[in-house]
Amino acid sequence: ISDVDQFDASFFGIPPKEAEFIDPQHRLFLETSWHTLEDAGYRPSELSGKRISVFVGVSTQDYRQELYSTNVEMDSRISTGLAVSMVANRVSFLLNFTGPSDISDTACSSSLVAVHRGIQSIYNEGCEMALVGGVNLILIPEVMVAFGKTGMLTEEKEVRTFDQQAQGYIRGEGVGALLLKPLSQAEADHDSIYAVIRGSA
C-alpha cells in the first residue's frame, strides 16, 4: 500500500501532532470506514448515536517498533496512538457509534473473526448494523525475517492453502471494511447489496 504516511488529520478533527503518533493502520482503517459508509449510501453524520458495532481484525504492531527505534520522546498521545484496541475504538468514538467496539487478533483469520463477531452483535446484542473489517501493514523487516526462518513463508509465487503441495504463505498488506445489516432490513431500506452471508461460526 503506497502513501501510508499520508493522512488528512483535519478532516477527522485530529490535531496533526497527535496524528504523528497514530499507527498508520488506525488511520487507514478510519479512512476506509468512512469510504465504506459513503459507498453504502450513508452520511456518517446520520448514523451518529446509533447502535452500530465495530469489529476489526489486526495482528501486527510494526509502527510501535519503528517509532521506538527512533528514540522518540515519550508523549502522552503514544498511549492511544499505538494501542491496538484503538483501531476499532477510534472509529466508534469519532463516528459516535454506540455498539460494541473491539479488535480480534487470531492471526490470519482475524478479519473473518471480526465479520463473525459483527454478525453476532446484530442478532444477539441488538445492533442495527456492524462495521467490520481488517488492516495489515508491513513496516519493518523483523517479522518477515522471523517467519522466514520458521519456514512459514513460501518461495513460490502462489499459495496452495490446504493442499498437500502447500509450502507456506505469502504476507501481504491490505485494508478492507464491510457494513453488515440484516438482509430483510437492507431490502426494506433499498440498500445496495453486494453479498449475502448465509452463516458464520
Side-chain angles (χ1 to χ4, degrees):
I1 299 177
S2 59
D3 301 324
V4 296
D5 59 325
Q6 304 298 306
F7 179 62
D8 189 353
S10 60
F11 180 83
F12 293 103
I14 298 173
K17 187 63 180 173
E18 180 181 352
E20 292 178 22
F21 295 103
I22 298 175
D23 188 324
Q25 294 182 129
H26 301 204
R27 301 181 225 158
L28 271 176
F29 193 79
L30 181 57
E31 292 171 338
T32 301
S33 296
W34 189 277
H35 290 306
T36 299
L37 296 176
E38 286 185 327
D39 183 67
Y42 292 99
R43 286 191 307 275
S45 60
E46 71 181 295
L47 299 178
S48 176
K50 292 191 179 292
R51 188 159 173 76
I52 299 173
S53 61
V54 180
F55 293 102
V56 187
V58 58
S59 291
T60 60
Q61 298 186 54
D62 290 10
Y63 192 63
R64 174 188 295 272
Q65 279 187 256
E66 181 68 17
L67 198 60
Y68 286 157
S69 71
T70 64
N71 296 317
V72 65
E73 184 177 335
M74 191 51 63
D75 188 287
S76 61
R77 292 165 285 206
I78 288 178
S79 61
T80 54
L82 300 181
V84 71
S85 60
M86 291 301 293
V87 179
N89 298 163
R90 192 178 300 278
V91 172
S92 293
F93 176 76
L94 289 174
L95 299 179
N96 194 30
F97 293 163
T98 62
S101 180
D102 199 4
I103 63 104
S104 55
D105 179 1
T106 56
C108 296
S109 63
S110 298
S111 296
L112 289 173
V113 171
V115 170
H116 175 68
R117 294 181 71 190
I119 293 168
Q120 294 298 305
S121 76
I122 291 171
Y123 289 106
N124 298 330
E125 300 179 51
C127 290
E128 298 178 49
M129 292 181 267
L131 182 66
V132 301
V135 61
N136 186 64
L137 290 178
I138 301 171
L139 304 176
I140 57 174
E142 284 82 353
V143 175
M144 190 77 82
V145 171
F147 283 5
K149 287 186 175 182
T150 62
M152 294 166 63
L153 304 179
T154 181
E155 295 182 12
E156 302 292 325
K157 292 183 179 180
E158 60 183 34
V159 178
R160 297 182 176 90
T161 307
F162 305 121
D163 190 291
Q164 287 183 342
Q165 297 178 352
Q167 296 179 10
Y169 81 107
I170 300 170
R171 294 189 74 209
E173 295 185 316
V175 57
L178 305 170
L179 186 63
L180 305 181
K181 196 176 194 181
L183 179 59
S184 58
Q185 190 62 54
E187 290 174 333
D189 293 342
H190 305 290
D191 290 331
S192 297
I193 301 170
Y194 291 135
V196 176
I197 300 174
R198 298 197 177 276
S200 72

